Amino acid sequence: MRAHVIAPVLLALSLAACVPTEAALPTATASVTGHEQLLADLRILSADDMEGRDTGSAGGERARAYIVSRFEAIGVAAPAMGRLQPWEMAGRSREGSKVYSGVNIMGVIPGTRVTDRYIVVTAHYDHVGISDGLIYNGADDNASGVATMLELAAQLKTEAPEHSVIFVAFDGEERGLLGARHFVEAPPVPLSSILLNVNYDMTARAETDGKLWVTGTYQHPNLRPLLEPVAARGAISLAFGKDTPQDTGNDNWVEASDHGAFFRAQVPFLYFGVDYHPDYHRPSDDFERITPAVFANATDLAIDAFRALDRGLSR
């Protein structure tokens, strides 16, 4: 997430990794009734054997295979152009510009009311890999967003959406929004048929301020009234901002994640994510740092927000 601030935070590579023990994982996974799969998805995607999920790495390939298996287990169909969208593009690395080969993962659920207009729900599955022998597991960034997206997909298979929904797990976000940029250049449906991009990036650590932030209502003020009635889940509530001309530098998130590619393509977007925390882009962004109840509430809130948007659009 927030790819434009990668370089400064990578200066913190000297921090020690905080790797979760096997004994700790089952306790955390089982501690929030009804969200076991959500937490299992987060745990698996942020495990050491994913090797930080860097684009083009063996760990990234393992993460991709897992996400494909989850879409198929949920029953999310592939779009007409296929489940996988490979791409090749130059992006940034620690050593400078580098050509990456990445793969986006897609699924679709038809709508019941508006079948030919789409909400595109996105979350990037890549992270920054291994550096100086330390694994950057990226539990919050962005195994959490992928887990939230998969939970939404599962719920939409139980209670279908009103609009057709395309799900995309993007590769290459950390290298310059590469997968998202390719998607808007070669979408599975015309861009004119995409009503909205809903992007999840860092949805787990809302305990920082008790907020799940929504960025993009300044650019699309018609969307805010649809979201303002959405009630808090536990201690977590929606907050609006990080998108005005007064929000500068790292406090402006309009192009800070994959939704930035949609913004540049003039496709309406909303970004859902938590504020910065001390483990952001550090090897300590591990599963054991997640508070299960906070993540579960934030995910439920994100899904409530999606439902409100789905009901309110195209009226």
Side-chain angles (χ1 to χ4, degrees), residues 41 44-45 50 60-79 82-85 103-107 125 146 149-150 153 167-169:
D41 289 339
I44 291 166
L45 286 169
M50 296 294 178
E61 185 175 352
R62 283 191 286 274
R64 180 161 61 252
Y66 178 76
I67 296 165
V68 168
S69 75
R70 289 287 293 119
F71 273 144
E72 293 179 352
I74 293 167
V76 178
R83 175 76 72 197
L84 303 180
Q85 184 185 44
V103 183
N104 299 333
I105 311 162
M106 298 187 293
Y125 69 93
V146 175
M149 180 176 70
L150 291 171
F167 296 93
V168 194

Side-chain angles (χ1 to χ4, degrees), residues 40-65:
D41 289 339
L42 174 60
R43 174 180 57 83
I44 291 166
L45 286 169
S46 61
D48 281 353
D49 63 2
M50 296 294 178
E51 299 177 330
R53 306 186 308 277
D54 200 359
T55 299
S57 71
E61 185 175 352
R62 283 191 286 274
R64 180 161 61 252

